[in-house]
Amino acid sequence: MHSRMFGNRTAAVGLTVASLGLLASSAYAESTFLTGEIEDGGAQIILMPRLAISNTNTRMVEWMAPEGSAVEVGDPVARLDPSDLIAQKENLEIQLEDTLANAESQVAQQELAIFDAETALIRAESNLEIAKMDASIPKGTIPDLTYERNQLLLANATNAVKRAVKALETAKFTLTQSIPVRERGVEQARNNMAEIDDAVSQTEILATQPGLVIYGFNRWTDEKIYPGATVMSSMEIAKVASQDSLQFRFWTHEADVRKLKLGTEIAVTADSLPEYSVAAQITWISSQANERDWSDGGYFEVIAEPIDGVELPPKFLPGMAIVGEVLNIDPLDEQT
């Protein structure tokens, strides 16, 4: 934790949450003020998942834990509308049942074909044995016509056995060849079920760390996301933040960002805790400005972290609106 503090600054206290994102120009005031909020640098960021099996890039947030509520590991934080996924799952369950039933039916038919082929082979072999006995009767001991007929029956019985052996081999080969195809079909159906189950599970978002629930903002409308909102994939829905790695995020107008640089010191005061002021240093400045709905022009994001050794007040919580007074602006920067 951190412990160097500054005294109260009346000008900083005068700014409120309603002024979030506004920067007082140095042309009109001796000090430069930034506004922003306290955030947890190690927060669990909850993004709208992109579900590969889904046919849409947006999804409705069906429910979220109340903003500011405390959650523990494993507690539900948000639940997304799973209705289209449930419908897909029901269809895939039917497809899986049909695939398994068809696979069993094919196996039964092919096993029956093998049984019939084995039966036909047994019958053909039996007929061959009889034909061999009849054909073994010497010529001259029976009428010539009977002898010739016995020889013909032997030849036919021999060919019948060959055909029966071939039919049995074909039936067995067909069963062997169909097994991989059938297994691939069943495996694909089960994989589809696993994918939809995984997608459904992603609609129930749980906390992976203890902390406070803070709702996110729609980056296109700059409005806070509440239950019932439809959100694009990859957009931040909410975060679970604690006091373990607190930092300060500010929004700076493009006309004033030139006054700031890495290492610039800022005295940070929470709107709701004007009696505390904390020393921080700028550690990151965005490279591109974005429009904000509260003012014309672009705004750069600035992150400041408490200076080493500074103790943060226990009442400093993620999501609190803050004001930062820039302390060490270079005079040359002011004249630029």
Side-chain angles (χ1 to χ4, degrees), residues 256 262 284:
D256 300 289
L262 299 183
W284 178 81

Side-chain angles (χ1 to χ4, degrees), residues 96 100 184-195 197:
L96 177 57
L100 291 173
R184 283 195 297 269
V186 172
E187 181 181 6
Q188 183 60 54
R190 285 178 171 155
N191 287 341
N192 292 340
M193 278 297 302
E195 287 182 5
D197 284 336

Side-chain angles (χ1 to χ4, degrees), residues 21-74:
L22 299 181
L23 175 64
S25 171
S26 59
Y28 301 97
E30 295 181 359
S31 298
T32 297
F33 296 95
L34 313 178
T35 56
E37 68 177 16
I38 302 173
E39 67 176 20
D40 174 15
Q44 174 191 353
I45 306 300
I46 298 173
L47 304 178
M48 175 63 74
R50 180 176 180 84
L51 308 178
I53 202 168
S54 177
N55 297 321
T56 177
N57 290 327
T58 61
R59 189 163 297 278
M60 187 185 78
V61 181
E62 188 174 77
W63 172 89
M64 281 198 289
E67 188 170 34
S69 62
V71 293
E72 299 294 333
V73 175

Side-chain angles (χ1 to χ4, degrees), residues 206-262:
L206 306 180
T208 59
Q209 64 183 49
L212 302 178
V213 176
I214 300 175
Y215 291 176
F217 283 85
N218 187 316
R219 60 174 173 263
W220 305 117
T221 65
D222 213 35
E223 296 178 351
K224 184 167 286 192
I225 295 172
Y226 290 99
T230 298
V231 182
M232 293 187 63
S233 60
S234 77
M235 188 173 290
E236 181 180 323
I237 303 171
K239 64 180 68 172
V240 178
S242 69
Q243 293 176 282
D244 293 340
S245 304
L246 293 184
Q247 61 186 26
F248 311 112
R249 184 178 295 271
F250 299 98
W251 291 269
T252 307
H253 193 275
E254 57 190 351
D256 300 289
V257 72
R258 69 181 187 278
K259 303 173 185 178
L260 307 177
K261 58 186 177 183
L262 299 183

Side-chain angles (χ1 to χ4, degrees), residues 3 32 67 139 143 147 156 168 174 176 201 224-225 229 237 245-246 259 267 273 311 313 315:
S3 75
T32 297
E67 188 170 34
K139 187 176 182 180
Y147 178 82
N156 290 340
L168 178 58
T174 300
T176 302
S201 70
K224 184 167 286 192
I225 295 172
I237 303 171
S245 304
L246 293 184
K259 303 173 185 178
L273 299 170
E311 181 180 351
K315 294 182 179 180

